[in-house]
Amino acid sequence: PGISVHTAHVGDSRAILARVSDGANGSKCFIVKELTKDHRPDDQDEAQRVKDAGGHIRLAGGKRARVICDAVPGHPGFALTRSLGLAIGQDCGIIAEPQVSSVQLPGDSEALLVLGTDGLFEFCGNRTVAGHLLKHGVNDRALEEVVHESMELWKANSSNGTVDDATAIAASLGRLAKGKDSFRSFQS
């Protein structure tokens, strides 16, 4: 039997799947696949969906696109186009409908599933996060290191020293899970 990975997703947290594969000359490499798509107003499809629902999108302070909700005067806008529990957002095109996907892997796969908040992935790429965990294993220390790296990159790229929270959850799948701790999480 194979391994099934199902996601139902809203927002800008992310799920990635890293799969170990045979590389050139018998070496091992890994392939990373995003299982989710960030639901942000700078995504063309999401922006169009919001506009079709009567919402407005503007650049906030010359930076990121925001969904503007006329029902909340003076609000700088929302950075998400899909969210759970944001009732006021319904009036401006923000929905709670998840995007659902499934991936099937062979049963003998060596794979790693990583779930992370936007704080983790904003400045750390998918390959960086997955590579660190594949190299050091799914353990508390490796997760703490990757979250710490993300926080340091936030600080280095922040004009006012603020950083977003970062949470990482990782699970080994298939052959990577056998005989090891296969699930860990860390939150900053």
Side-chain angles (χ1 to χ4, degrees), residues 10 82-87 95-98:
V10 299
R82 297 181 191 226
S83 178
L84 296 176
L86 188 60
I95 61 172
E97 181 181 330

Side-chain angles (χ1 to χ4, degrees), residues 111-113 133-134 136-143 169-172 176 180-185:
L112 172 70
L113 176 66
L133 295 174
L134 287 169
H136 299 287
V138 175
N139 59 64
D140 293 339
R141 182 176 176 161
L143 280 171
I169 300 169
S172 299
L176 283 180
K180 299 180 181 181
D181 291 334
S182 61
F183 178 82
R184 288 283 190 255
S185 67

